[in-house]
Amino acid sequence: MRRSFLTLLLPLAGVAALTTAAVTKPAQGFSLFSIDQDIALGNQVARQTDSLYQAKGQLMTRAGNARAYQLLDGVVKRVLDNGNVKYRTQFPWDVKLIKDDATQNAFATPGGHIYVFTGLVKFLDNENQLAGVLGHEIAHADRRHSTQMLQKQYGTSLLLGLLLGNRSSGQLVQIAAGLGQLKFSRTYEVEADKYSTIYLNGTRYYACDGAAGFFIKAEKQGGGGTPEFMSTHPNPGSRITSIQKNAQQLGCTNRNVSNANFNELKRIL
């Protein structure tokens, strides 16, 4: 349902009344933005992100890559429809492919716009791993980590100004360009890992330790070939163990999924 601009402005007016010190240093895990503002901010950032990658010739269009998106959408939809995504019906939840085989990364904007680099898909071994990484990114958006980290990095007053239209487009470009390098705290990473297992368990389809499979492979590769995802999503020592423990507790580690669609996706990218 379309939300009026007035609906967005009313909560913003209260935020604007706060002192600069209060709005530029939100506490860890606390967001001053409403869900409607998350969506509005995410839409702005996504449009600018699309523009950046279009200018580089890297944004893969749905019209020109219908089969690739059909295959990827199938995985995304299974993960989203697991029954545990809080804002499943409120966020737009779309996914876009970036043609860059040298970049093994994925990221999500506020409001649920997900970007996946072709290099990440080609790095992965199976669909469980892809589902695990997507679940991790969906969790960052659904748990509102993306908004909270943008608040911390850029300040609430700047983000508020973007929503009100009184900030320069250059600042939006800066945010969009840096989103893929946004580094989450250990707290947020551990929570996203946990929810990835919860989401995959809810699918009744994927083995819910898929994200652990990705991290295990990335650690073995090491050196200069380490995926960029590992630099923006650093791996605390016990992270793989925690994912595997959560999955074992949920009893969803031994699901066998056909990789025919995943292998086709890798082949056509």
Side-chain angles (χ1 to χ4, degrees):
M1 183 173 63
R2 190 172 184 176
R3 297 167 175 82
S4 70
F5 190 60
L6 180 60
T7 303
L8 295 174
L9 285 180
L10 287 175
L12 285 168
V15 176
L18 297 174
T19 65
T20 300
V23 299
T24 56
K25 297 182 180 179
Q28 174 93 345
F30 176 70
S31 178
L32 292 170
F33 287 89
S34 70
I35 297 304
D36 281 345
Q37 291 158 5
D38 261 24
I39 295 169
L41 178 62
N43 287 342
Q44 284 199 46
V45 173
R47 283 193 294 270
Q48 186 59 56
T49 302
D50 289 356
S51 179
L52 286 174
Y53 287 109
Q54 280 173 342
K56 296 179 181 180
Q58 293 179 313
L59 184 65
M60 296 178 65
T61 65
R62 285 183 170 269
N65 302 276
R67 180 57 177 164
Y69 275 106
Q70 182 183 24
L71 294 166
L72 181 60
D73 287 343
V75 183
V76 173
K77 188 176 187 303
R78 281 196 189 98
V79 178
L80 285 172
D81 288 345
N82 73 83
N84 298 287
V85 177
K86 185 174 183 180
Y87 301 110
R88 174 67 178 99
T89 60
Q90 291 168 272
F91 287 174
W93 296 117
D94 60 7
V95 61
K96 293 167 187 174
L97 283 162
I98 306 299
K99 183 64 176 177
D100 183 352
D101 290 351
T103 300
Q104 298 156 339
N105 202 7
F107 62 89
T109 75
H113 301 276
I114 304 165
Y115 292 84
V116 178
F117 290 81
T118 56
L120 176 67
V121 178
K122 293 183 178 184
F123 173 80
L124 300 174
D125 290 329
N126 54 61
E127 192 166 313
N128 279 324
Q129 291 177 4
L130 177 59
V133 172
L134 288 170
H136 183 97
E137 291 306 319
I138 289 168
H140 276 318
D142 195 53
R143 305 304 297 174
R144 306 185 72 194
H145 299 162
S146 300
T147 304
Q148 291 161 19
M149 289 303 292
L150 287 178
Q151 283 179 209
K152 183 176 180 180
Q153 183 160 334
Y154 296 101
T156 304
S157 59
L158 187 150
L159 301 182
L160 174 62
L162 290 173
L163 286 171
L164 292 173
N166 57 14
R167 292 284 181 171
S168 72
S169 60
Q171 290 169 316
L172 186 58
V173 172
Q174 179 186 3
I175 291 173
L179 197 61
Q181 286 75 48
L182 195 63
K183 294 186 179 182
F184 291 92
S185 69
R186 179 186 177 116
T187 299
Y188 290 158
E189 292 294 6
V190 170
E191 186 174 41
D193 287 344
K194 175 185 175 182
Y195 273 87
S196 179
T197 64
I198 291 171
Y199 294 162
L200 268 59
N201 180 47
T203 68
R204 306 301 178 207
Y205 184 78
Y206 293 117
C208 54
D209 56 352
F214 162 75
F215 288 119
I216 290 169
K217 179 174 182 179
E219 281 197 336
K220 286 180 178 178
Q221 183 159 324
T226 301
E228 185 175 344
F229 191 90
M230 290 286 281
S231 65
T232 56
H233 298 68
N235 185 15
S238 61
R239 192 165 168 190
I240 293 171
T241 302
S242 294
I243 294 171
Q244 292 173 330
K245 182 179 179 181
N246 289 337
Q248 289 166 359
Q249 289 174 342
L250 291 170
C252 51
T253 58
N254 295 317
R255 294 175 186 161
N256 295 315
V257 175
S258 169
N259 287 307
N261 286 347
F262 173 75
N263 290 333
E264 182 184 355
L265 176 62
K266 289 181 71 170
R267 189 167 59 250
I268 65 179
L269 286 180

